[in-house]
Amino acid sequence: MFGAPRVFQSVIILGVVGIIALPAAGCVDISGGAVEVSWAVFSRDGRAINDCSCADPAIGYVRLQLVSETDPGNQPCAGNGACRFACGRKTGATPFFIAPGQYLMSVVPLDADGNDLATTFIPGNAVPSVQTPAAESGTVVRGQPTELEAFMLEADCRSTCNAGGILSPCTGG
């Protein structure tokens, strides 16, 4: 009869210790703000491209591009791997390292080797291999995530694609 309260006390003590330890286990270095971005890939005729490798050319990664509106030389994502996300994820978020301020925010589609597909042009055409919307202005606040609206990437669709057994890589339209 006297053993039950001690067990209960032990459970309460363990629970309190667990709650106190939780913040230490989940610590995040906050030296600035973060940016969350999402994207979708569509064919030029409006069909969804569900697998980034089925775009033509294949999109390997999407890199977040941030350019300070007050100091265009301040580009915290330039050459920073924390701003590059696998295209198939369709979303990404930076750590909290971006200095507070106003930025022009956009995405850059990259091939598997890291080449910018928005500046590579379709042979014999003035259209980029992958088109992206214009940058949008956004504010980064220390300790807060800045959430961007989804960006629509536009590319050609492969006529056939073997990624994941997909035979018809574009849907809808």
Side-chain angles (χ1 to χ4, degrees):
M1 183 167 168
F2 293 108
R6 286 188 184 191
V7 170
F8 184 68
Q9 287 175 347
S10 296
V11 170
I12 290 174
I13 291 170
L14 287 174
V16 170
V17 169
I19 290 171
I20 292 170
L22 274 177
C27 287
V28 175
D29 182 27
I30 298 178
S31 58
V35 177
E36 296 179 29
V37 63
S38 59
W39 58 88
V41 183
F42 290 89
S43 67
R44 297 184 198 282
D45 61 4
R47 296 176 292 155
I49 300 177
N50 298 317
D51 188 311
C52 295
S53 65
C54 293
D56 189 16
I59 305 170
Y61 302 95
V62 173
R63 181 174 47 84
L64 179 62
Q65 181 168 298
L66 303 175
V67 179
S68 169
E69 290 187 28
T70 57
D71 176 13
N74 178 12
Q75 299 182 23
C77 284
N80 190 328
C83 296
R84 185 178 90 162
F85 313 103
C87 182
R89 290 179 51 184
K90 299 184 183 182
T91 188
T94 68
F96 288 87
F97 74 91
I98 300 165
Q102 198 72 20
Y103 292 87
L104 289 175
M105 302 177 178
S106 59
V107 293
V108 178
L110 307 171
D111 66 14
D113 296 327
N115 298 310
D116 182 344
L117 295 172
T119 59
T120 306
F121 290 87
I122 298 171
N125 199 333
V127 177
S129 297
V130 179
Q131 291 180 286
T132 60
E136 57 185 61
S137 181
T139 304
V140 173
V141 177
R142 185 181 189 281
Q144 294 183 13
T146 299
E147 296 180 33
L148 300 177
E149 296 292 326
F151 284 90
M152 184 176 95
L153 307 178
E154 191 175 280
D156 286 329
C157 183
R158 294 184 188 275
S159 57
T160 59
C161 183
N162 289 329
I166 298 172
L167 298 177
S168 178
C170 296
T171 59

